[in-house]
Amino acid sequence: MVKIRGLFLQNLGIALIFVLLSAVFIAIMYLEAIKKGMPVKRWLLLAGLLGPVAWCLFNLHYRRALLRSVGINPCIWRP
């Protein structure tokens, strides 16, 4: 009984950390999606489900969309 209860509390702690981390990434992705002009709802959902992995996907998607719109060779000035 004690082992089961300790394991349950340990898993509950891990789940709580994941929820808090996802909430932080939802806020970060909201600001970044607005700043870069990306669809906000899609990235908020992904940030909530995937947490930090969504950040990598967001940057990859933004870079590919940028290259698709301007081409490969032009000089891009981003202040």
Side-chain angles (χ1 to χ4, degrees):
M1 180 79 171
V2 174
K3 286 184 180 181
I4 294 173
R5 186 174 184 174
L7 187 61
F8 175 74
L9 290 176
Q10 183 180 8
N11 288 339
L12 184 64
I14 292 171
L16 183 62
I17 289 171
F18 180 76
V19 168
L20 291 175
L21 191 63
S22 292
V24 169
F25 272 94
I26 286 172
I28 291 171
M29 291 297 289
Y30 176 75
L31 295 174
E32 285 294 316
I34 288 177
K35 185 173 98 173
K36 293 187 177 182
M38 302 289 277
V40 177
K41 289 180 185 177
R42 176 189 312 166
W43 291 107
L44 289 182
L45 179 66
L46 283 173
L49 293 175
L50 300 176
V53 176
W55 180 262
C56 298
L57 293 174
F58 177 79
N59 288 327
L60 178 70
H61 185 77
Y62 175 74
R63 180 74 180 155
R64 289 183 52 86
L66 181 67
L67 287 176
R68 193 178 314 124
S69 67
V70 297
I72 295 174
N73 292 328
C75 179
I76 302 170
W77 175 259
R78 292 186 295 177

